[in-house]
Amino acid sequence: REAGAITEAALASLVPHLRDGATRAALGRRFLDLVAEAAAARGARGAVTAWEYVGFGASPWSSPGGLARGDVVKVDVGAVVEGYSADLARTFTLGPAPPRARAVHDALRAAFEAGRALFRPGAALRDIHAACLRAVHRAGFPGYARGHFGHGLGASVWSEEWPYTAADSEVVLEPGMVMAFEAPWYIEGLGGFIIEDMLLVTEGGVETLSGAGLPRDLVELPA
């Protein structure tokens, strides 16, 4: 919970820094600083570190140059408290979203909502995967494929781990499991898109540990 709260606060504070000319390296460094500030503001005890995958532009992997009008911005980040990592991601555009970017993100939002509605004790991870795929296909992208829609957190430190929300998973959700639930798509020539929250499975359903206070829409930032 502490890692999730710090991550959410730091991501929200990073948004004003997503502006024209910002570099990938500078944004990454700024997020790490914001994690330290959020941890101090909360009086966090123990070691607090962080990781970040901020990317933008037509190549979601390299993010060359500076952020520019029309770019899709993927922010996938996590604070790490005493070795245990949060995981949270949102997508933005600098200025108005290109129509194709809007259509892609709308499809991922539909997938996220369809899968998120199934999170409860006893739900099969393969059924959540199938629901996410169906939603993207119905949104007009029948060729979309994705190996998994998230992973476990907290059984080991500093890692994304089993179980995966995958088509071949035999795992069912149980109270006490912490899962990163995500709907990503990385498209060369357009950009990287992702919606991700960190969820705790409870006796009665699910609790959002990171992401509850952030919009899941494609947010258009001032250019």
Side-chain angles (χ1 to χ4, degrees), residues 48-51 78-80 82-85 153-154 156-161:
V48 179
T49 53
W51 56 268
V80 184
E82 296 186 358
Y84 293 91
S85 181
L153 288 168
S156 62
V157 297
W158 269 107
S159 68
E160 162 183 321
E161 63 200 30

Side-chain angles (χ1 to χ4, degrees), residues 29-175:
R29 289 193 300 269
R30 187 61 185 142
F31 176 76
L32 300 182
D33 291 341
L34 290 168
V35 164
E37 293 174 14
R42 292 180 59 84
R45 298 180 179 181
V48 179
T49 53
W51 56 268
E52 55 79 21
Y53 296 113
V54 178
F56 55 79
S59 176
W61 308 114
S62 59
S63 307
L67 186 57
R69 182 181 177 86
D71 280 349
V72 175
V73 188
K74 173 188 70 72
V75 180
D76 188 357
V77 292
V80 184
V81 177
E82 296 186 358
Y84 293 91
S85 181
D87 204 347
L88 174 64
R90 293 293 187 268
T91 307
F92 308 84
T93 61
L94 189 62
R100 187 174 175 224
R102 175 67 61 188
V104 166
H105 194 274
D106 285 350
L108 295 178
R109 176 67 186 272
F112 187 93
E113 297 299 338
R116 175 65 174 76
L118 299 178
F119 266 82
R120 65 179 68 90
L125 293 182
R126 61 175 175 267
D127 292 341
I128 296 173
H129 182 277
C132 293
L133 273 186
R134 283 195 302 270
V136 177
H137 295 168
R138 289 171 179 168
F141 297 97
Y144 176 82
R146 173 74 186 170
H148 71 83
F149 288 95
H151 52 84
L153 288 168
S156 62
V157 297
W158 269 107
S159 68
E160 162 183 321
E161 63 200 30
W162 179 93
Y164 291 87
T165 303
D168 60 354
S169 177
E170 297 182 357
V171 174
V172 298
L173 293 173
E174 302 176 25

